Amino acid sequence: MLPFDVPAVRVLATYRVLEHAPFGDALIAAVAQAAEMTVVTRNTKYVETFGVRCVDPWEPTV
């Protein structure tokens, strides 16, 4: 679990949240991007719009 801290707030402030994704997904993306981490989720559609690395564990790998 990572905190929603000042670096994450700064990242979130650069997002155009209402145009791209639900606010909750934007919070997750901002925390991950601030921590330089990858988000593992089946809901990659919104997270990827923010330029955050994302992995869908159910997606077959080649």
Side-chain angles (χ1 to χ4, degrees), residues 10-24:
R10 289 185 176 136
V11 170
L12 181 65
T14 67
Y15 293 166
R16 299 180 76 181
V17 178
L18 296 177
E19 294 178 18
H20 295 292
F23 188 66

Side-chain angles (χ1 to χ4, degrees), residues 4 8 11-12 15 17 21-32 46-47 50:
F4 183 67
V11 170
L12 181 65
Y15 293 166
V17 178
F23 188 66
D25 291 327
L27 290 174
I28 293 167
V31 169
Y46 295 122
V47 177
F50 297 115

